[in-house]
Amino acid sequence: MDEYLKTLLEQIRCKKARPYIRQELQDHMEDQIKENIHAGMDYESAEKEAVKDMGDPVETGISLDRIHKPQIAWKLLLMIILISVVGVLTHIMIAGHINRESASGRYVIHVMMGVAVMIFLYFLDYTLLARFSRMIAIILLAMCLLILFFGCTVNGVRYYVIIGGRPVSIQALMLFYVPIYGGAIYKYHGLGYTGLIKAIAWMVIPVVLVLRLPAIMTAGLMLISMLVMLTIAVQKDWFIVQKKKAIGGLWGIFMVMPVVVFLVMYFRNELPSYQKARIQAVFSNSGDANYLTTTLRFFLTVNKFVGSSGTDVTGILPEFNRDYILTYLSSMYGMIAAILVCCVLSVLIFAIFNTAMKQKNQLGMIMGCGCGMIFLVSFLINVLENLGAFPPTATFLPFISAGGSYIIVCYGLMGIVLSIYRYKNVYPRHVKVSIRQNKNNDRIID
């Protein structure tokens, strides 16, 4: 049997798949051996017959090699190329409108950096991120904690970290915590309420630290994304718990309780004045706090379906190339331009979730869903904000908004999604993320 398996595995080029294929075939042959012995054969004859039933090792190995090999997500790549082209053209037009060529140049540089990060993570193998997930999570948490006390200031805004001589937003960097969270809680697979409590702790700690920055929107984005991931994990029987009670308790505690705490802080005037003003802007019909929301709603009434509205938003809206880029597109080129951008992003986000949910491997599924949630929630908030239906806040439209840190993070998250797709036919339903090498340099499960 060992010689048969050795010959078969030599036909499989993807070394990552070999230990899982070997384990599956070995289990199958051992079951067949038991049946043969039960039928009256001695062990040696039973083993020979089981091996014979498997067929020629070379032909079987070649057939398995065709199945268990890395895949390229061509559709996802084409959509990423399309959204990148849309983003570059948008910022070139913005730069031409405001006579600042350097603005589009910076965006292109950030896209190139993001693509480099995406390619790196694509070839890295997402299971490696899961293997070191706790270490990566601790590093991110430590960075966040240090910046709370020693954060530098860039353009009057605190809480940036300098990497390679360039300022990087810690709020953007913390979004990488979400897919890493999937790898961290995967290690509790098969545990009961103890594992669930540990998973909750890994979710709460970063949210609390990000809230202290303060970055309420980023904290909310992370909380919702990780809460959905944990809900999926419970639903998929990762934890030996009563699913309905666990899921109900999670959403009751982490959705209802934050609303109660927020309302208490609001009415006790414990929120920063600028945050309270933004909230009042959505419901108030007068006052300075309502100015930006009123302006956004005004543009909805004057923008044409096709063509310019005749109003220059660049002198009216702050961060028009970032938070309010959809309003800019609607005003300058018609609402059809903003709708088309939203459609392209919607298709991309749908494809990300489709890729994740079709994964046989549960680790890839949960990490892919985490990436998709970041894109989905940030997209919805940005759209609602541009419609004047959400309090004005620091947000971003994935891949399109200006802001180097968020652009790079978006491409990095896509790199993880592409890596998940790449190995979709390599890994089985469940894998061990702690792996060692045997004497033949094949990776085997501990």
Side-chain angles (χ1 to χ4, degrees):
M1 182 169 64
D2 289 338
E3 188 64 30
Y4 177 90
L5 290 173
K6 180 181 178 182
T7 303
L8 185 149
L9 293 174
E10 287 175 350
Q11 315 308 313
I12 299 172
R13 289 167 291 180
C14 182
K15 293 183 179 180
K16 297 177 185 294
R18 289 178 183 176
Y20 305 106
I21 295 174
R22 180 187 179 89
Q23 188 66 50
E24 183 179 350
L25 294 178
Q26 185 172 326
D27 290 344
H28 176 74
M29 285 191 284
E30 287 176 352
D31 290 340
Q32 188 61 47
I33 290 171
K34 291 178 181 179
E35 291 183 12
N36 292 342
I37 293 175
H38 185 71
M41 296 183 185
D42 58 76
Y43 183 84
E44 185 176 352
S45 299
E47 184 180 24
K48 288 182 179 179
E49 189 65 25
V51 171
K52 182 181 178 181
D53 290 343
M54 294 297 294
D56 182 77
V58 175
E59 291 182 2
T60 304
I62 292 173
S63 298
L64 290 172
D65 178 66
R66 294 194 189 103
I67 299 171
H68 298 281
K69 64 179 183 179
Q71 305 287 320
I72 299 177
W74 292 111
K75 292 182 180 179
L76 277 176
L77 283 174
L78 288 174
M79 283 187 280
I80 294 168
I81 292 172
L82 176 60
I83 203 68
S84 299
V85 170
V86 169
V88 169
L89 291 177
T90 298
H91 284 273
I92 288 175
M93 291 186 293
I94 290 175
H97 182 75
I98 62 177
N99 296 318
R100 284 177 54 191
E101 298 298 329
S102 59
S104 61
R106 285 196 302 271
Y107 178 85
V108 172
I109 291 173
H110 292 147
V111 168
M112 293 173 64
M113 293 172 65
V115 170
V117 172
M118 180 180 72
I119 293 173
F120 172 76
L121 291 174
Y122 168 66
F123 287 107
L124 184 63
D125 185 352
Y126 68 95
T127 61
L128 188 63
L129 293 175
R131 182 181 179 186
F132 298 102
S133 57
R134 294 178 188 173
M135 183 186 300
I136 297 171
I138 290 172
I139 291 172
L140 289 172
L141 293 175
M143 291 175 61
C144 191
L145 188 61
L146 287 173
I147 288 174
L148 278 172
F149 298 99
F150 307 106
C152 57
T153 303
V154 178
N155 296 327
V157 180
R158 285 181 59 79
Y159 311 121
Y160 277 72
V161 60
I162 304 299
I163 299 179
R166 301 182 65 87
V168 179
S169 168
I170 189 62
Q171 291 97 317
L173 201 59
M174 284 300 292
L175 294 180
F176 273 122
Y177 186 97
V178 173
I180 295 301
Y181 174 73
I185 66 173
Y186 185 78
K187 296 180 180 181
Y188 302 127
H189 179 269
L191 298 181
Y193 285 99
T194 300
L196 182 60
I197 291 171
K198 291 179 179 179
I200 291 172
W202 282 105
M203 176 179 68
V204 171
I205 293 172
V207 172
V208 171
L209 288 178
V210 173
L211 277 173
R212 295 289 298 170
L213 284 176
I216 293 178
M217 188 53 58
T218 302
L221 173 57
M222 292 176 64
L223 177 61
I224 293 172
S225 300
M226 290 189 287
L227 193 55
V228 169
M229 293 168 68
L230 190 54
T231 301
I232 293 174
V234 172
Q235 188 65 38
K236 294 289 184 179
D237 296 315
W238 282 25
F239 306 98
I240 305 172
V241 298
Q242 296 184 25
K243 292 192 289 187
K244 291 184 178 179
K245 291 183 178 179
I247 293 173
L250 285 172
W251 285 92
I253 293 172
F254 294 105
M255 285 288 100
V256 175
M257 189 172 69
V259 172
V260 173
V261 172
F262 176 81
L263 291 175
V264 171
M265 293 177 65
Y266 180 85
F267 288 108
R268 292 180 61 179
N269 294 319
E270 294 180 359
L271 286 177
S273 58
Y274 71 92
Q275 291 176 351
K276 191 171 183 178
R278 287 172 176 174
I279 297 167
Q280 292 173 340
V282 178
F283 306 102
S284 174
N285 293 319
S286 62
D288 295 337
N290 183 253
Y291 169 75
L292 189 54
T293 301
T294 302
T295 302
L296 291 169
R297 292 171 179 171
F298 166 76
F299 282 124
L300 290 176
T301 63
V302 298
N303 288 343
K304 299 178 181 178
F305 190 72
V306 178
S308 174
S309 66
T311 304
D312 185 6
V313 301
T314 61
I316 300 174
L317 290 177
E319 304 290 347
F320 67 90
N321 63 339
R322 181 171 175 161
D323 297 348
Y324 307 109
I325 196 164
L326 288 176
T327 301
Y328 170 84
L329 290 172
S330 298
S331 179
M332 296 302 299
Y333 307 102
M335 289 186 289
I336 186 64
I339 292 172
L340 288 175
V341 169
C342 289
C343 287
V344 173
L345 279 172
S346 298
V347 172
L348 177 61
I349 294 170
F350 174 81
I352 291 171
F353 278 108
N354 189 51
T355 297
M357 297 308 296
K358 286 187 176 181
Q359 287 295 311
K360 177 173 62 177
N361 177 255
Q362 295 289 288
L363 173 62
M365 179 272 296
I366 205 72
M367 292 180 70
C369 285
C371 295
M373 283 302 302
I374 293 174
F375 290 128
L376 176 62
V377 177
S378 59
F379 170 71
L380 292 177
I381 290 175
N382 187 267
V383 170
L384 290 174
E385 183 177 353
N386 277 264
L387 292 175
F390 196 86
T393 186
T395 183
F396 67 98
L397 191 66
F399 299 100
I400 304 297
S401 292
S405 300
Y406 286 100
I407 293 171
I408 294 171
V409 166
C410 285
Y411 280 98
L413 293 173
M414 277 307 307
I416 295 175
V417 175
L418 292 173
S419 177
I420 292 169
Y421 187 95
R422 174 179 170 83
Y423 296 108
K424 69 174 186 174
N425 293 330
V426 173
Y427 296 121
R429 180 177 176 82
H430 288 294
V431 296
K432 293 287 186 180
V433 291
S434 296
I435 301 172
R436 58 185 176 87
Q437 301 285 334
N438 66 8
K439 62 182 180 180
N440 296 321
N441 291 324
D442 288 334
R443 302 205 307 173
I444 59 178
I445 303 173
D446 285 334

